[in-house]
Amino acid sequence: MITFKNFKEDNDDIKVLDEAGPFQVIEYLRDLSVSPYNAQRAYFIDKMNIHKKQLVCDLSKGAVVIQPGAMQWMAGKVEATTGIKGVGDLLSKSIRGAVTKESAIKPEYQGTGTLVLEPTYKHLLLINVDEWGGSIVLDDGLFMACEAKMKHKTVMRANFSSAIAGGEGLFNLGIQGSGYVCLESVCPKEELIEITLDDDVVKIDGNLAIAWSSSLEFKVERSGKTLIGSAASQEGLVNTYRGTGKVLMAPVAGIDYIGLHEMDNTNV
């Protein structure tokens, strides 16, 4: 049996932001590991309410699949596997990883112990895929972890113009099944807009949608009915989601997190 001291419940510097399934999102209210060389920067980061967060996985509640390299530490009975079930499965995942720009092999952890992922300044969002019709499509680079019982799939855009005009790739990572997925987002949950469509359409100028139902048709289209109309509106091409389902949208462009890891690794 393993017990923890000064972690979560008995540490007044740690706050539990959200928990669901085997996942728990914690936040460090203060950064106490600050050196004289980065104190000024840490001060202003704290004043802007930017705090480190971590994903804690209780494997006794279910096995999880995580982004490669995301593991920080684990305790108790924990077994790590590649999740590869044979040559055919390896080939399928390699192809999916190549086209979705996601890692082909995502490690799977199971057991009864605790798994803790690397801290991040980004926002960790727990999404119940059941509320998305059992299948959700993610924008590039957002996947952090999901329950191992869920399936990963490759979702292709409805038209090839999406790859060029939409500013994104032709394929996206889809998560299918019953359970929770954790996204690493540059936009906090409080700012996200959830749009529900019932045989309708939403058009977004730019890559602001971070997730959408796989039941929706995604295309890149002209903002107007004609080229002249699109030119007159000065909008040009827009990302279009059509059908019945939901879209999760960030109303503001993502902020730049480049350089924050430098502060994490600064030594006195």
Side-chain angles (χ1 to χ4, degrees):
M1 181 179 178
I2 293 180
T3 58
F4 301 109
K5 185 177 181 180
N6 200 36
F7 182 59
K8 295 195 303 182
E9 288 80 4
D10 62 340
N11 188 330
D12 60 2
D13 190 42
I14 296 178
K15 175 183 178 182
V16 177
L17 295 181
D18 196 7
E19 53 185 326
F23 302 119
Q24 188 177 61
V25 178
I26 63 174
E27 178 183 57
Y28 290 86
L29 302 179
R30 298 167 296 171
D31 190 353
L32 303 179
S33 303
V34 178
S35 73
Y37 303 101
N38 57 31
Q40 184 179 34
R41 187 177 188 182
Y43 173 82
F44 287 106
I45 285 177
D46 179 71
K47 290 302 179 181
M48 292 304 298
N49 200 34
I50 300 175
H51 301 132
K52 289 182 180 178
K53 304 167 188 66
Q54 277 188 302
L55 185 66
V56 181
C57 309
D58 183 355
L59 299 182
S60 66
K61 296 181 179 179
V64 301
V65 173
I66 69 171
Q67 186 69 13
M71 189 275 293
Q72 186 188 50
W73 61 275
M74 49 188 173
K77 184 180 179 182
V78 178
E79 298 179 1
T81 68
T82 60
I84 301 296
K85 299 177 177 61
V87 176
D89 188 36
L90 174 60
L91 179 60
S92 174
K93 290 181 177 179
S94 297
I95 294 174
R96 182 174 65 233
V99 299
T100 62
K101 300 178 183 179
E102 292 281 349
S103 301
I105 301 176
K106 294 180 173 62
E108 178 178 327
Y109 292 83
Q110 58 185 0
T112 57
T114 299
L115 171 69
V116 183
L117 305 194
E118 290 280 358
T120 176
Y121 279 106
K122 294 183 180 181
H123 304 276
L124 300 179
L125 313 176
L126 299 183
I127 295 181
N128 185 357
V129 180
D130 292 307
E131 297 177 354
W132 290 72
S135 186
I136 190 172
V137 184
L138 308 180
D139 195 25
D140 296 339
L142 291 180
F143 177 82
M144 171 63 78
C146 72
E147 296 188 59
K149 61 183 179 180
M150 308 178 79
K151 295 182 179 180
H152 296 212
K153 64 178 183 178
T154 302
V155 179
M156 183 176 176
R157 303 294 174 86
N159 58 351
F160 283 93
S161 63
S162 300
I164 301 175
E168 299 186 22
L170 184 59
F171 300 90
N172 284 92
L173 175 64
I175 306 295
Q176 186 176 19
S178 177
Y180 288 87
V181 59
C182 179
L183 308 185
E184 187 180 23
S185 169
V186 296
C187 187
K189 185 177 182 180
E190 292 78 8
E191 290 184 348
L192 295 175
I193 300 173
E194 184 178 297
I195 305 171
T196 301
L197 302 175
D198 184 5
D199 193 23
D200 216 321
V201 60
V202 61
K203 297 183 179 182
I204 302 174
D205 183 15
N207 305 330
L208 298 180
I210 68 172
W212 56 93
S213 301
S214 61
S215 57
L216 295 175
E217 180 187 56
F218 176 28
K219 287 185 177 181
V220 174
E221 300 176 345
R222 295 192 299 268
S223 60
K225 293 183 178 180
T226 65
L227 288 174
I228 296 178
S230 296
S233 67
Q234 299 184 1
E235 294 296 340
L237 299 172
V238 292
N239 291 331
T240 303
Y241 304 83
R242 181 177 284 106
T244 299
K246 297 197 294 185
V247 177
L248 193 60
M249 186 186 78
V252 294
I255 63 175
D256 185 6
Y257 279 82
I258 297 175
L260 287 181
H261 291 296
E262 296 176 3
M263 190 181 75
D264 294 342
N265 300 324
T266 301
N267 294 320
V268 179

